Amino acid sequence: ALGASGGSVSLAGRSIAQVGGGTPGAPLVASAGEGGAHIAITIEARTSGEPYTDDDRRALEPAVAAVAHALAQ
């Protein structure tokens, strides 16, 4: 939906999934949680070269926070 060239997920500082990437440009990054429930999601640059917007970031952050919250349970 975002037209990303790839992305990655890390849990507690360890990479657990990665796909694609390598397209130059600023990624969209969101993280939440603490300790073993700390999750970070990086959405690599769009293949179109268009930058991510604040709306894109605001859409991603609650999803990441929900995953961190679920992991902490």
Side-chain angles (χ1 to χ4, degrees):
L2 293 172
S5 61
S8 63
V9 178
S10 66
L11 178 61
R14 292 186 343 228
S15 177
I16 59 171
Q18 184 171 350
V19 64
T23 300
L28 177 60
V29 180
S31 65
E34 296 178 2
H38 181 264
I39 186 165
I41 295 180
T42 301
I43 309 294
E44 295 296 333
R46 288 184 164 133
T47 55
S48 67
E50 292 292 317
Y52 290 110
T53 66
D54 288 338
D55 287 341
D56 295 327
R57 188 171 321 284
R58 283 191 291 272
L60 181 61
E61 288 173 346
V64 173
V67 171
H69 178 74
L71 290 170
Q73 299 302 316

